[in-house]
Amino acid sequence: MSPATNGSVLVIGGGLIGLSIAHQLARQGHGVEVLSRRRSEAAGFVAAGMLAPHAEGLRGPLLQLGQASLNRIPDWVNQIEADSGLCCGLRSCGIIVPFHSAAARDAHPTAHLGEALNRKGLEREAADLAEQWQAGVLFAQDGQIDNRRQLMRALEKACVNFGVKFQEGIEVLDLLQQNKTFVGVRVRNAEGELCTLQADQAVLCTGAWSSKLLPELPIFPVKGQMMSLQGPRDALQRVIFGPGTYLVPREDGLIVVGATSEPEADFREGLTPFGQRELQQGVASLLPAAGQWPPMERWWGFRPCTPDEGPLLGPSALAGLWLACGHHRNGVLLAALTADLLAAAVIGKPLSSSDAELLNAFRSDRFEP
Ligand code: GLY
């Protein structure tokens, strides 16, 4: 089998999760090689960058995972910024979730963890919110990061600065094993040649495509269409997270608008009139004034979903192959903690009891009968 990766850990997938793990491994002195098929399909370039365990109304262990990751984000971002010399665009701006009534607000699973707002409170936080929203919750602890324009670039730079090797345009076709032990991958490289790469350890971070390599993984794509608008600078101070549509204001007035949720689309690429109309209607229902703001970009991507909407983290059925996939709507939020947990697992570093418990709660074998 050739060529060998000289003891490096293979990170399969160059998206946000793959880069985050590569960065942590490399800064702890490990050789890392990232295999990336197509940069543009990485969910890290598609997501809106919300850091929103409370606004999303997560529950149970997924809420705990999200909160633990949210707590790590400031230090994680400081590390990436120091390692790359680039800004990540973190905004601890808070998120407002509007509701039609106080009763609907109080039924939100995490309502007790935010500040309850009446109509007057909503107007204080987002002056032009449509009349139909009569109650809300402010989650001041939630926020956002500029994943598309800043975080991904900074992480790539931080990885390069720590000696991570990248192979772009390479497609992993098969995972190779001997006696239930991972031994490498068969790939088609950027020149179109078939070859194998030998490695003792790899982390599978191929998002919605993960079950193409390991069919037993219960991961399926949930397509999301998105767009951005150029609002007046400072038109919105906080993220507005409505039912089905959210508005994420960047520092320069760009408003990222998301997102449709289309499990039936499978891996069908492209924008659709229906999806785009749904976004525009969502914008109008939240903030009528934003209907006049010029559209800037439109795009789509595929969330990697699992039956319980939680990620698959930790060991796979093959010794030496680790899983970090299936982050569904929460990949940006969960990247910080995923990177810590997986780097520790690969290196064999002991985890605190709370981290070990979280990692255990998201093992892929929770879906086995
Ligand atoms: N994180 C929000 C979404 O996936 O649309």
Side-chain angles (χ1 to χ4, degrees):
M1 210 183 274
S2 66
T5 53
N6 295 327
S8 291
V9 178
L10 284 184
V11 170
I12 306 172
L16 176 58
I17 299 294
L19 292 178
S20 303
I21 294 168
H23 173 230
Q24 288 306 322
L25 285 169
R27 71 191 320 282
Q28 292 174 65
H30 287 261
V32 184
E33 190 157 340
V34 174
L35 308 181
S36 167
R37 181 172 64 176
R38 226 182 342 260
R39 237 169 138 257
S40 59
E41 67 194 3
F45 284 118
V46 176
M50 281 184 296
L51 306 170
H54 306 98
E56 288 269 4
L58 303 184
R59 302 164 196 250
L62 190 53
L63 176 62
Q64 286 167 21
L65 192 76
Q67 289 174 322
S69 200
L70 185 68
N71 289 339
R72 280 180 209 209
I73 282 172
D75 286 347
W76 179 64
V77 165
N78 282 341
Q79 212 176 51
I80 298 166
E81 292 184 343
D83 292 349
S84 65
L86 297 174
C87 179
C88 293
L90 176 64
R91 287 190 95 186
S92 304
C93 58
I95 300 186
I96 302 166
V97 186
F99 297 92
H100 290 118
S101 66
R105 172 194 67 203
D106 297 341
H108 187 71
T110 49
H112 61 291
L113 299 172
E115 180 191 342
L117 302 173
N118 55 19
R119 174 70 204 178
K120 216 161 155 231
L122 275 178
E123 285 171 7
R124 184 191 72 217
E125 298 297 338
D128 298 325
L129 204 66
E131 272 297 316
Q132 60 170 312
W133 308 105
Q134 290 297 316
V137 187
L138 166 62
F139 294 108
Q141 66 274 52
D142 287 358
Q144 57 153 308
I145 191 162
D146 194 342
N147 53 301
R148 273 165 70 75
R149 297 185 299 179
Q150 296 184 272
L151 174 64
M152 287 292 280
R153 205 159 57 101
L155 256 175
E156 281 175 347
K157 183 85 188 322
C159 284
V160 169
N161 288 351
F162 272 98
V164 173
K165 295 204 170 63
F166 283 86
Q167 289 207 47
E168 304 280 356
I170 187 169
E171 184 169 14
V172 175
L173 303 172
D174 288 305
L175 303 170
L176 305 175
Q177 57 165 306
Q178 276 166 13
N179 304 324
K180 292 207 173 277
T181 298
F182 173 80
V183 293
V185 289
R186 195 169 69 88
V187 300
R188 184 183 293 114
N189 67 19
E191 289 74 44
E193 297 155 355
L194 294 177
C195 50
T196 55
L197 299 176
Q198 193 182 355
D200 297 334
Q201 298 222 79
V203 191
L204 190 71
C205 312
T206 41
W209 293 268
S210 300
S211 55
K212 297 205 186 272
L213 286 172
L214 271 188
E216 64 269 33
L217 297 182
I219 295 187
F220 52 93
V222 177
K223 181 175 175 179
Q225 298 185 46
M226 304 190 61
M227 64 185 288
S228 58
L229 305 170
Q230 187 64 45
R233 197 178 280 262
D234 295 335
L236 277 182
Q237 298 305 320
R238 304 204 188 264
V239 173
I240 302 179
F241 187 96
T245 308
Y246 46 79
L247 307 177
V248 184
R250 303 293 196 223
E251 203 128 28
D252 58 359
L254 190 79
I255 313 281
V256 177
V257 180
T260 62
S261 189
E262 305 170 62
E264 69 290 349
D266 196 47
F267 280 111
R268 205 161 49 242
E269 299 202 357
L271 303 171
T272 63
F274 176 80
Q276 293 299 300
R277 199 168 53 242
E278 191 180 310
L279 289 179
Q280 265 140 3
Q281 286 168 349
V283 170
S285 78
L286 284 174
L287 206 66
Q292 308 302 317
W293 298 345
M296 302 301 285
E297 279 186 284
R298 298 173 193 271
W299 67 95
W300 73 91
F302 300 102
R303 303 176 185 90
C305 193
T306 65
D308 64 6
E309 304 188 348
L312 307 182
L313 303 178
S316 73
L318 292 184
L321 179 70
W322 302 89
L323 304 176
C325 43
H327 290 72
H328 189 219
R329 299 177 60 90
N330 302 299
V332 180
L333 168 68
L334 298 177
L337 183 58
T338 298
D340 275 0
L341 297 179
L342 266 292
V346 170
I347 294 168
K349 204 166 101 181
L351 288 170
S352 69
S353 59
S354 56
D355 279 358
E357 215 170 286
L358 284 173
L359 189 58
N360 208 33
F362 290 96
R363 287 172 61 108
S364 67
D365 55 12
R366 71 185 184 276
F367 294 111
E368 284 171 14

